[in-house]
Each structure stands twice: as structure tokens, then as C-alpha cells.
Amino acid sequence: LLPAFTALENAMLPLILEGVAPREREKKGRALLQQVGLAERLRLTPDYSLVPPLAKEYRGTLGLKIELGEALQGKELTTSGLFFHQAAAGEYYLGLEQPQDVYFGTQSGRPEKWHIIRSNGPVEVEKVEDNTFILDLKARGLQEIKFYAPAPLKISGKDLKITNEGPYYTVTHFGAPVTIKLTPEK
């Protein structure tokens, strides 16, 4: 797959190389995406150009709610982003920190992934190793972040209160900005 191409463009690439006519290759590309559950997709791109200077630390914290309508009944949402939560059947909340793809389909066969459910302030996420993440909570004062992890995690950082309920973790910190490291338990 070529990261600069959309899913449809990647699906059509072999057809382009075979010289298939544009309308036919688009039709075949869409059919292929339908077969693998990626036909219903949208690309969300945030625009933070109007964020006032006083709110700059919250730049990148846009949230949105998506409710699946009648045409998407029975489908589930997955996203390339790390901030999302299913609130109820057909109702999702997304954090739009950067451009991301949203797919509507079935979950069967897709692995569950670690993701943030909510944060009460700005957070930056960096993947440093295969399954190790660094979270920088950027605000001062009371900071709380809740996330889902399909496998047990080791959480480290300064002055953290950690609660764990099955695959859900809540990390609370009071004071200056803090860095949290998440690593899989061995």
C-alpha cells in the first residue's frame, strides 16, 4: 500500500497498471473495497486555523459525535485515530487531533487496538516501540485520561493514581504537565 494514496487509489493501482479504463477501474476498485469491508469510508481533516492564541494548548483537541443513521444500521465504526469511544449502539465520539480515516463496516476479524476514550486536557501520543507509547499530558492542575487496552498494561509516570477495571484504565495526576509510559505486561 502507498500511504499517500487513498484506499480506493490503492485498490485501483493494479488496474491502472493493466490499462483498465478509468470508469471500469473505479467500479472494480469500489467492489474490491466492499469485499474487504472498507467501502464505506470518510476522511476527516481538522482545521485549527481559527483557534485563538489563548487556547493554543487545546489546539488539536477537537471532538465530534457521529451517529450512524438508517443507511448504516448494523455497521460499526473504526478509525485510524487513537481517540474514540462507542457511547451506545450506533453512537460514537471521536477526537480529531489529526487527519484520520473513519470506516463503517463489521468488526469481525479486525484486532482490537489500544485507544483513548477521554482526556480532560491536551495530550500528545508518541509510539516509541512496537507496543510502547508515551503520553504527554500538557495541562496544569487536575489531569485525567481514560483509555482502553485489550491486553494488560504497565503504566509508569510521576505521581499517578491508576485505576483499572478490566480492559479500562483511568490515570489521574495533579500538578505540572506529566509524561506517562504505557508498556504491555509480559
Side-chain angles (χ1 to χ4, degrees):
L1 295 177
L2 300 173
F5 282 23
T6 66
L8 179 58
E9 290 168 335
N10 272 295
M12 293 188 316
L13 189 56
L15 302 171
I16 292 169
L17 298 174
E18 291 174 9
V20 175
R23 284 189 180 171
E24 182 63 20
R25 71 176 172 241
E26 182 174 346
K27 181 181 174 183
K28 287 182 176 185
R30 289 189 187 282
L32 178 62
L33 291 177
Q34 182 72 35
Q35 287 177 351
V36 296
L38 297 178
E40 295 162 329
R41 177 188 79 86
L42 61 101
R43 177 87 171 157
L44 300 173
T45 303
D47 177 4
Y48 296 112
S49 63
L50 298 176
V51 174
L54 289 175
K56 69 180 178 188
E57 78 176 18
Y58 289 92
R59 183 182 207 108
T61 61
L62 175 66
L64 62 121
K65 178 180 178 181
I66 295 178
E67 293 183 26
L68 303 184
E70 194 173 308
L72 295 172
Q73 286 296 316
K75 303 279 183 164
E76 294 184 16
L77 178 146
T78 57
T79 177
S80 61
L82 284 177
F83 293 81
F84 65 92
H85 174 62
Q86 182 174 0
E91 186 176 292
Y92 298 86
Y93 292 92
L94 302 178
L96 197 57
E97 75 283 5
Q98 61 189 10
Q100 63 184 270
D101 293 316
V102 177
Y103 302 94
F104 303 95
T106 60
Q107 291 285 86
S108 61
R110 289 191 186 146
E112 291 185 296
K113 69 176 189 175
W114 172 90
H115 63 272
I116 296 171
I117 295 171
R118 73 170 189 273
S119 175
N120 71 336
V123 60
E124 288 183 11
V125 180
E126 177 186 0
K127 187 173 184 178
V128 293
E129 293 173 19
D130 194 26
N131 287 316
T132 299
F133 292 87
I134 300 293
L135 282 63
D136 286 323
L137 302 184
K138 297 293 197 176
R140 297 183 184 286
L142 180 63
Q143 303 158 77
E144 186 173 85
I145 187 166
K146 182 174 183 176
F147 51 90
Y148 170 85
L153 292 175
K154 178 181 176 189
I155 302 169
S156 56
K158 185 177 180 184
D159 300 326
L160 303 177
K161 178 185 174 201
I162 302 164
T163 57
N164 174 229
E165 295 176 18
Y168 298 96
Y169 294 82
T170 302
V171 178
T172 307
H173 173 77
F174 185 81
V178 67
T179 297
I180 301 170
K181 184 175 183 181
L182 307 176
T183 54
E185 282 188 357
K186 307 242 183 216

